Amino acid sequence: MQPPPFELVAPAGTPATLKAAIRAGADTVYCGLRDETNARNFPGLNFSEAELRDAVEFAHAFGARVIVAINTFAAAGHTGPWKNAVRCAREAGADAIVAADIGVLDHAAERYPDLRLHLSVQAAAGTAEAVEFYARRFGVKRVVLPRILSIPEIGDLAAEVNVEIEAFAFGGLCVMTEGRCHLSSFVTGRSPNLSGVCSPAEAVSYTRDAEYKSARLSGLTIQRENHNKPIGYPTLCKGKFSAGGQTAHLFEDPVSLNTLDVLPELADAGVTALKIEGRQRGKAYVERVTREFRNAIDRLMAGDSNRVSQAAALDHMTEGHRSTTGAYRKTWR
């Protein structure tokens, strides 16, 4: 039997979700500790040290792996939480950490040389030269690619580097250069890059009047629609704004990435791991998406060349019930 073309990497925002993802067929799960060291620092999510140890034990019993996300940027004079997160991951027996901050990577490489390091998408490494720097300097074994590269660009990069390539396969899209977004902090004072949260829930509000319903962030209207139209969670990059005489989603449409229809192309380009986005999502969401991708990967492994679109199977799980292949099939520049 041929080895599977992809490692399926699923999100786990809670211990229950981690178990559901593994039972649905995930090869690997990624999770974070309950603090600002990970980019999904929302109330009710993430793991304590004891929960992380139990999660690793559970995953290994099923032959699965655990990656700990320590993927925010450490604050000057306050690097302790990030160093502690690396220690926790190592002592829990995690299979790898995924990090972006050079200081965090350096600390992990120096203090725990046997700990496997992955380079987070937050590091925005989109060239072979950038990836090779991290591999040489810190011993990084895998890079998670920014969601701005086309499939041919991924192929060119993969041909020049000696590390594993992980690419996003499903879930939220980020139109900003990965790891450099400050839109959230501009309005709320908190950003995914520094505090681990984009558009925090305490800054979100919804209002309704006789004609419109509105979504607001820190009191600013991000989207306003008639009552018969859906309205999304108010993040600035997916907001609807009036400019130049038009009202539209100026930065990014509220749609989800879905690569079910381009899996063979991603495999041919050299992608070795597929990452499902969504540590803030519920157990049912993660279980369903993981199962669909497990089935799709298994069909690909078995040589099923059926080119009928599979993407529609997850339409009801996508934002606004719409999906895109994003930059993978790039028609813009």
Side-chain angles (χ1 to χ4, degrees):
M1 180 179 291
Q2 293 182 342
F6 298 116
E7 176 184 334
L8 181 57
V9 184
T14 65
T17 305
L18 178 141
K19 293 176 181 178
I22 291 172
R23 288 174 173 142
D27 299 302
T28 302
V29 290
Y30 64 102
C31 59
L33 290 163
R34 204 168 286 150
D35 57 29
E36 70 268 39
T37 63
N38 86 88
R40 289 294 184 270
N41 183 27
F42 291 101
L45 291 184
N46 301 311
F47 291 66
S48 66
E49 290 189 41
E51 287 170 337
L52 181 59
R53 289 193 296 270
D54 291 344
V56 172
E57 183 178 352
F58 178 88
H60 288 176
F62 279 79
R65 294 171 289 276
V66 175
I67 300 171
V68 179
I70 311 174
N71 56 344
T72 53
F73 292 87
H78 183 57
T79 60
W82 285 263
K83 293 178 180 178
N84 183 61
V86 176
R87 177 194 62 79
C88 290
R90 175 65 182 80
E91 292 182 356
D95 298 277
I97 68 168
V98 56
D101 188 297
I102 288 177
V104 173
L105 289 164
D106 186 64
H107 172 76
E110 292 291 331
R111 187 70 179 271
Y112 307 102
D114 59 336
L115 180 61
R116 181 179 171 93
L117 303 182
H118 294 183
L119 186 64
S120 170
V121 66
Q122 293 288 89
T127 65
E129 291 80 0
V131 174
E132 282 298 314
F133 164 78
Y134 287 100
R136 288 195 310 270
R137 179 62 183 84
F138 307 114
V140 163
K141 303 299 184 185
R142 177 183 297 181
V143 58
V144 185
L145 293 181
R147 285 163 281 193
I148 57 171
L149 300 179
S150 67
I151 290 175
E153 288 170 331
I154 292 173
D156 290 342
L157 185 151
E160 296 184 42
V161 301
N162 193 30
V163 300
E164 298 167 5
I165 302 295
E166 182 171 312
F168 279 92
F170 190 89
L173 277 169
C174 183
V175 72
M176 303 302 155
T177 303
E178 307 280 2
R180 299 293 180 266
C181 182
H182 296 284
L183 279 176
S184 179
S185 60
F186 178 75
V187 172
T188 70
R190 301 177 70 194
S191 81
N193 311 93
L194 299 176
S195 49
V197 58
C198 173
S199 300
E202 64 268 22
V204 173
S205 61
Y206 296 91
T207 61
R208 179 186 292 264
D209 58 28
E211 189 175 358
Y212 298 107
K213 55 185 178 182
S214 301
R216 290 189 167 93
L217 190 65
S218 293
L220 299 179
T221 300
I222 305 302
Q223 185 175 357
R224 185 176 67 177
E225 300 287 356
N226 294 324
H227 291 296
N228 61 345
K229 290 186 178 180
I231 195 165
Y233 191 86
T235 57
L236 277 167
C237 63
K238 294 182 180 179
K240 199 169 187 179
F241 304 100
S242 295
Q246 298 184 29
T247 299
H249 295 282
L250 296 185
F251 296 107
E252 178 185 354
D253 284 342
V255 298
S256 294
L257 177 68
N258 188 348
T259 63
L260 280 174
D261 289 345
V262 296
L263 295 187
E265 290 93 329
L266 289 171
D268 290 343
V271 172
T272 53
L274 292 174
K275 185 171 192 171
I276 299 169
E277 185 273 340
R279 278 189 290 137
Q280 75 280 23
R281 301 285 191 168
K283 184 174 71 172
Y285 172 98
V286 171
E287 184 177 25
R288 176 62 188 273
V289 176
T290 300
R291 198 175 302 281
E292 286 292 341
F293 270 87
R294 176 79 276 152
N295 291 338
I297 291 170
D298 290 347
R299 286 195 297 270
L300 186 61
M301 178 182 173
D304 185 349
S305 59
N306 185 2
R307 301 302 297 169
V308 175
S309 174
Q310 304 173 60
L314 289 174
D315 274 353
H316 64 295
M317 294 291 187
T318 59
E319 192 169 359
H321 291 184
R322 292 190 296 153
S323 63
T324 177
T325 54
Y328 292 140
R329 283 179 174 166
K330 190 177 290 181
T331 57
W332 46 266
R333 189 61 178 167

